[in-house]
Amino acid sequence: MSKHVAAKRLAAPDIASRKGGEPIVCLTAYTAPMAALLDPHCDLLLVGDSVGMVVHGLPNTVGVTLDMMILHGQAVMRGAERAMVVVDMPFGSYEAGPETAYANAARILKETGCQAVKVESGPEVAATVEYLVRRGIPVMGHVGLRPQAVNVDGGFRAKGRTQTERERVLAEAAATDAAGAFAIVVEGVAEDLAAEITTAVRAPTIGIGASAACDGQILVTDDMLGLFDWTPKFVRRYADLRTAVSTAAAGYAADVRARTFPAAAETYALGAKRRVAGAGDAE
Ligand code: KIV
């Protein structure tokens, strides 16, 4: 029997029970190696539909497909052992009604092995959230700045600047909570609104650009690693990988052009006997 005992993976009730307690640490992940690096430090990894912009170069998340989310969800599940993995339902995969949403969410859970899905939520999808939760699919909500509404909103803008907008965001959070979401992402709102939502709802709130008033925090990993030349105001950069990657690529290019790479130490020296290369040789 293998001595390796897999770490117990966190699940929706573990995250839900952290309301008002130790802050919930979340980051996005899209690939297996990055998920493996983030896993020991995070409670929850979100395979966000931000993958469309971050990895695939799309202008927004509207073009992201269910197949893309499933492919990246599978990769993240291979890399992460302990963190709960949540996969975003892409635009068009859940809004039409509960039954379509259920079929698509079930596909995500079956084909990736992830523990839950996330939907951009409010009163208009509350019945869908409840339908999924009652049928065994944990749902994370997402209120405030909802990136999939970019075409209605005309851009990515913080929410809650007017009283009407404030009430709309509060209503989104209340409806998502009443529908049974185990956690709610709150994006792009000022601290007082984030605090009001966090007090009003039973589910833990996970803030992104929503102040420290939330029960947990999430960032797009590539933003906090400094992989882009521009990041929103609310992002803190913990690394400057853009410079590191660019410097590494420039060094490699210079060495190849100068014929100093590969050197003898990076070159196979085959013995007198001719051998057919096999998988074990490539070390
Ligand atoms: O898609 C995403 O990465 C998200 C986070 C920004 C919360 O929804």
Side-chain angles (χ1 to χ4, degrees):
M1 207 174 92
S2 160
K3 280 198 180 145
H4 176 79
V5 180
K8 181 186 170 298
R9 199 187 279 280
L10 296 179
D14 301 310
I15 302 297
S17 71
R18 299 266 291 272
K19 175 81 186 171
E22 188 195 341
I24 304 160
V25 181
C26 317
L27 282 170
T28 63
Y30 317 113
T31 66
M34 188 58 83
L37 284 173
L38 304 177
D39 186 57
H41 309 286
C42 292
D43 300 309
L44 186 150
L45 292 176
L46 172 68
V47 186
D49 60 354
S50 52
V51 69
M53 300 168 77
V54 172
V55 175
H56 296 273
L58 294 173
N60 55 51
T61 57
V62 174
V64 174
T65 66
L66 196 59
D67 287 341
M68 283 163 79
M69 295 313 301
I70 289 173
L71 204 62
H72 288 283
Q74 289 168 338
V76 169
M77 281 298 293
R78 282 183 211 114
E81 281 193 341
R82 181 189 163 273
M84 176 175 192
V85 176
V86 178
V87 175
D88 247 335
M89 295 198 71
F91 178 71
S93 70
Y94 62 95
E95 301 88 334
E99 290 180 10
T100 317
Y102 184 83
N104 289 330
R107 231 195 109 192
I108 292 175
L109 260 66
K110 276 174 185 283
E111 294 183 29
T112 68
C114 76
Q115 284 77 58
V117 295
K118 175 166 85 59
V119 299
E120 295 188 9
S121 53
E124 65 290 346
V125 294
T128 294
V129 172
E130 187 171 345
Y131 189 93
L132 299 184
V133 173
R134 283 180 180 268
R135 286 162 181 76
I137 301 184
V139 178
M140 189 179 203
H142 184 153
V143 305
L145 193 167
R146 296 190 283 158
Q148 291 175 7
V150 62
N151 289 318
V152 174
D153 291 347
F156 300 116
R157 276 191 221 100
K159 295 286 171 200
R161 292 176 201 270
T162 62
Q163 188 55 28
T164 315
E165 214 174 66
R166 244 186 114 85
E167 280 161 19
R168 192 178 308 141
V169 178
L170 280 165
E172 286 170 3
T176 305
D177 195 46
F182 74 91
I184 305 174
V185 169
V186 180
E187 178 163 0
V189 304
E191 184 164 15
D192 59 335
L193 182 51
E196 194 172 341
I197 294 170
T198 301
T199 306
V201 298
R202 170 202 42 86
T205 54
I206 311 293
I208 173 161
S211 85
C214 297
D215 297 300
Q217 297 293 327
I218 186 162
L219 284 176
V220 169
T221 296
D222 301 59
D223 280 342
M224 73 100 185
L225 292 179
L227 273 162
F228 299 112
D229 56 354
W230 180 86
T231 47
K233 168 187 165 64
F234 59 80
V235 172
R236 184 177 297 173
R237 287 190 185 186
Y238 289 86
D240 182 9
L241 292 197
R242 189 179 151 85
T243 304
V245 171
S246 177
T247 306
Y252 168 73
D255 288 352
V256 170
R257 288 186 183 114
R259 297 191 183 280
T260 57
F261 175 82
E266 292 136 352
T267 303
Y268 290 120
L270 293 181
K273 266 204 267 172
R274 282 185 72 110
R275 299 170 59 213
V276 177
D281 291 339
E283 297 195 350

